[in-house]
Amino acid sequence: MPTGRGGQCADPERGGILSGTPRLARADRDLDGDRQPEVVVADRSMCTAEGNCYWNVYAQDRAAGCKRYVGTVAASVIDRLSRRGDDGFHDLRGWWQMSSDSRVLLQEYHYRHGGYRVVEAMVCRQEGDDRLLCATDR
């Protein structure tokens, strides 16, 4: 469970999903298109053998003079999508490696009301030629 709630001022070294003795790794990136990277940080001691981590995301709030915790993306890889949510923040897709047999859980996150939330999830299998085969409702 994350420490603190979405939208609150928080210290990236102490907030979000972290263990009692975190080993922090950063992967900052511009998520809202302002050419300033948002803080994206994970506790490597909580990552799985497949490389899945809980990436805590923080956005600068200039008016309050702090970084606000805006959610956690569970993934080994995070894609920034072209679609955007509130305040110009890009939607994100997290790739959670489920097993060694090429199965992945794809979760899409949308920024709304001051934070990222999962809006879609599906289990897929990645083929040798990198194609994804996903379950569909038909």
Side-chain angles (χ1 to χ4, degrees), residues 31 38-40 55-59 68-73 92 116:
L31 299 175
E38 276 61 54
V39 173
V40 181
W55 294 95
N56 301 305
V57 182
Y58 298 85
R68 293 197 182 276
Y69 171 66
V70 296
T72 299
V73 177
L92 304 175
Y116 278 104

Side-chain angles (χ1 to χ4, degrees), residues 46-130:
M46 294 182 67
C47 297
T48 69
E50 295 81 18
N52 300 310
C53 300
Y54 298 98
W55 294 95
N56 301 305
V57 182
Y58 298 85
Q60 184 67 40
D61 183 332
R62 289 180 194 3
C66 71
K67 291 185 181 7
R68 293 197 182 276
Y69 171 66
V70 296
T72 299
V73 177
S76 61
V77 174
I78 301 171
D79 293 330
R80 188 179 80 173
L81 305 177
S82 59
R83 295 183 310 268
R84 292 180 184 240
D86 293 352
D87 302 325
F89 279 82
H90 285 269
D91 286 3
L92 304 175
R93 177 182 297 132
W95 294 63
W96 185 270
Q97 302 298 324
M98 295 180 67
S99 64
S100 60
D101 68 355
S102 303
R103 287 185 304 146
V104 295
L105 172 64
L106 296 180
Q107 296 184 97
E108 291 195 4
Y109 295 78
H110 183 72
Y111 190 92
R112 187 166 180 205
H113 301 301
Y116 278 104
R117 289 162 180 76
V118 175
V119 293
E120 187 169 352
M122 68 177 65
V123 175
C124 302
R125 188 176 74 239
Q126 191 168 19
E127 296 294 304
D129 60 0
D130 287 339

